[in-house]
Amino acid sequence: MSDSSPLPPVRLRSEAELARDALATPLLSRAARLARWTGPDTRVGSGGELVEEQLPAAAEVLGLTGDDAAAYASEAWRTAVDTGLVEIVDEEEGTVAAGAELALLTSGSPNDVLGVWLTALETVLADASVPGLDDLVDALDEGSEIDFSSLDWDPEAEAEFLDGVLGNLYLLTVSEEGPGDGPVPLPALAASMIVPEDMGEPTNDVLEQVSDAMMRLDDQFRLLEPIGLVDFQPVDEALMAGAEEEPAAPADETDVSRYGMVRLTPLGLFGVRERLREAGMTAPAVGDLADKGADALLDGTSGFPPAAAQAETEQWLVRREPLEAARELLAAARGSDAGAPLRRLRCQQALSLVGPEAEPALREVLDDAELGGLARVWLTERGAADVPAPSEAMVFWLTIDTVAAQLAAEGNSTELQGLVEGLAAQHGGFFARVWRVDHPATPDVLEAMGRLHPDKKVAKEARKAAFKARSQHGG
């Protein structure tokens, strides 16, 4: 995933909703309960960990039972210390007290709560990059010291791998062609990190790497679920049964969910976006442009997918009176620079969401060379009376402007090819007249029409017209 190109915009819940989600996560809520439980008799070891003899009492406070109760209590305590919910008063004595951050969870702003949650997230992510307990046990030497060299563990590489996985999961979630709120199969996510894009059939070695990565992710997502980052369905344990174990009942081998499924929660989307932005990536959210000017809206949504562009525009419009919004949009749509056609397309799309109160603004630009065409389209679509017919020059100018905008938005798409074919068939002598259009994009549009039109004769006419237009423009 490139760190230079902007990601598709994400739709986030409000800060208040996200803060409520954060407070309800199992790990943070347990950490807060232990912080409130902390008293003068609470003791910690040299690393800030709760002393072993107090773990049963901590587990009882949390309502935890079973073999893993002490481990869960220890994890919650470590989170409380790392987030400042608990402060160490005296390291030598091992005394602690409730930390200043605890008050933020009850009386702070939603942003304060999310700040504490983000700190907890960093702690969990660091833990998820550490080798599993089984690996650590295997690395114990005769002196009961861990031989880190035998682990083949690179902390930085592990952290980068997990960051890459979360980045890919985020991209899949926010992309319009992705699963959206649906889960992603773990094998697909692992393959996105291992299999080269230009590889056809993966080799056995690559498939083995994908399998190993999938099992690492299974362990890591189990750790990340309690902090509310993901909803996770683990790998079916029957798939990991050893040869000496009793085979499980036959299962549907086509059921991909048996290999693990994961999705980012709404809180997880917020958390990964914050980390991507800290890493220097452009990760917009729908609503970022709502308080900006129309120029920022039209430029900012130029690279958005259609649904996201509409959602951003709707949030921008709801803060403004229709008439003033229309005037601001039309003013921002003017220009002869390379981005102007796409701005006018986004302006036209935005104006389609505005009610009849905007009509005076559209009538004000009927004689404008750049805006008169789209103004007539808007008025005609709404059945307005007394809409003057456009001149031939305006029709051809609007045609070039529209194709230029579609090229900028979609490239050589199937839809654009259909538009090109329709234009050439609809207007007799189209190319003999269109090359004279005084629009900066005329040569490029005609060259594109020559590439896109399937009829060789028509394509040749378009290329000839493009040559004439370029000569006229001094190119």
Side-chain angles (χ1 to χ4, degrees):
M1 187 168 57
S2 170
D3 60 0
S4 58
S5 56
L7 294 164
V10 60
R11 301 191 194 200
L12 295 176
R13 290 182 175 177
S14 69
E15 277 197 347
E17 291 174 306
L18 291 171
R20 284 195 292 271
D21 290 345
L23 291 171
T25 59
L27 188 55
L28 187 58
S29 62
R30 288 172 183 168
R33 287 164 70 184
L34 288 183
R36 297 186 186 97
W37 165 76
T38 299
D41 296 330
T42 310
R43 291 293 182 269
V44 295
S46 58
E49 73 282 4
L50 196 62
V51 294
E52 189 172 348
E53 55 266 29
Q54 292 189 341
L55 282 174
E60 185 178 352
V61 168
L62 298 176
L64 298 172
T65 58
D67 295 340
D68 296 326
Y72 288 140
S74 178
E75 180 187 29
W77 178 264
R78 189 169 65 255
T79 300
V81 172
D82 288 344
T83 55
L85 298 176
V86 169
E87 293 179 351
I88 298 176
V89 176
D90 189 319
E91 291 186 8
E92 291 187 5
E93 296 292 329
T95 55
V96 292
E101 301 298 300
L102 181 59
L104 296 180
L105 297 186
T106 54
S107 57
S109 67
N111 186 260
D112 292 332
V113 172
L114 291 172
V116 175
W117 179 81
L118 285 170
T119 303
L121 175 62
E122 291 302 319
T123 297
V124 178
L125 287 169
D127 288 346
S129 299
V130 174
L133 181 60
D134 290 343
D135 293 328
L136 292 175
V137 171
D138 291 341
L140 285 173
D141 58 23
E142 293 182 0
S144 297
E145 296 290 334
I146 295 176
D147 179 10
F148 286 99
S149 63
S150 70
L151 286 172
D152 190 24
W153 175 50
D154 182 340
E156 187 173 337
E158 287 293 330
E160 287 181 0
F161 176 81
L162 185 53
D163 282 343
V165 167
L166 293 175
N168 284 354
L169 184 56
Y170 180 92
L171 182 58
L172 285 168
T173 305
V174 301
S175 298
E176 292 200 349
E177 63 273 15
D181 293 335
V184 176
L186 213 55
L189 197 55
S192 73
M193 294 296 296
I194 304 296
V195 181
E197 290 184 5
D198 57 353
M199 176 175 279
E201 188 72 20
T203 64
N204 288 336
D205 179 60
V206 168
L207 289 174
E208 186 175 345
Q209 291 180 52
V210 170
S211 180
D212 290 343
M214 188 179 77
M215 300 316 299
R216 281 161 60 198
L217 291 175
D218 183 68
D219 290 336
Q220 290 170 326
F221 285 133
R222 288 172 191 258
L223 291 175
L224 293 172
E225 189 171 33
I227 194 59
L229 190 75
V230 295
D231 286 330
F232 181 53
Q233 177 181 326
V235 176
D236 186 347
E237 292 189 4
L239 296 172
M240 298 181 280
E244 70 282 358
E245 297 182 40
E246 190 72 24
D252 182 3
E253 293 185 1
T254 64
D255 182 8
V256 71
S257 67
R258 296 182 65 219
Y259 296 88
M261 303 288 285
V262 63
R263 75 174 186 93
L264 288 172
T265 64
L267 184 61
L269 277 172
F270 162 79
V272 175
R273 176 180 180 254
E274 289 300 301
R275 301 187 83 249
L276 290 171
R277 294 172 70 198
E278 286 182 10
M281 298 191 69
T282 303
V286 172
D288 281 353
L289 304 175
D291 59 350
K292 303 290 194 301
D295 53 345
L297 176 71
L298 299 182
D299 285 333
T301 57
S302 61
F304 283 17
Q310 178 170 331
E312 184 69 55
T313 302
E314 287 172 345
Q315 293 205 22
W316 188 88
L317 288 170
V318 78
R319 299 189 179 197
R320 292 161 176 82
E321 293 297 325
L323 180 57
E324 288 308 310
R327 285 179 174 142
E328 192 177 342
L329 287 166
L330 289 164
R334 288 192 172 91
S336 57
D337 57 284
L342 186 51
R343 281 203 308 277
R344 282 186 281 274
L345 176 62
R346 292 298 189 220
C347 173
Q348 189 170 6
Q349 292 167 340
L351 289 170
S352 70
L353 304 174
V354 179
E357 303 93 332
E359 181 173 333
L362 278 298
R363 290 195 177 275
E364 290 165 5
V365 298
L366 282 172
D367 295 330
D368 188 289
E370 296 177 348
L371 304 176
L374 69 83
R376 284 168 170 78
V377 171
W378 189 93
L379 291 166
T380 301
E381 287 178 346
R382 280 158 181 73
D386 302 321
V387 180
S391 65
E392 183 181 82
M394 181 174 284
V395 170
F396 278 101
W397 193 95
L398 183 59
T399 298
I400 292 293
D401 202 57
T402 300
V403 176
Q406 294 289 351
L407 276 170
E410 303 173 6
N412 299 333
S413 66
T414 303
E415 291 77 8
L416 184 56
Q417 182 177 333
L419 175 61
V420 166
E421 292 180 42
L423 287 171
Q426 184 177 352
H427 301 280
F430 176 80
F431 295 110
R433 286 180 285 179
V434 75
W435 69 266
R436 304 177 189 274
V437 172
D438 186 19
H439 191 297
T442 299
D444 292 335
V445 165
L446 289 171
E447 284 184 359
M449 295 181 79
R451 289 195 309 272
L452 292 168
H453 206 289
D455 187 297
K456 292 183 178 180
K457 182 180 178 181
V458 176
K460 185 176 181 181
E461 286 183 47
R463 289 193 295 271
K464 284 183 177 180
F467 177 78
K468 292 179 180 179
R470 203 167 294 283
S471 299
Q472 175 177 269
H473 283 78

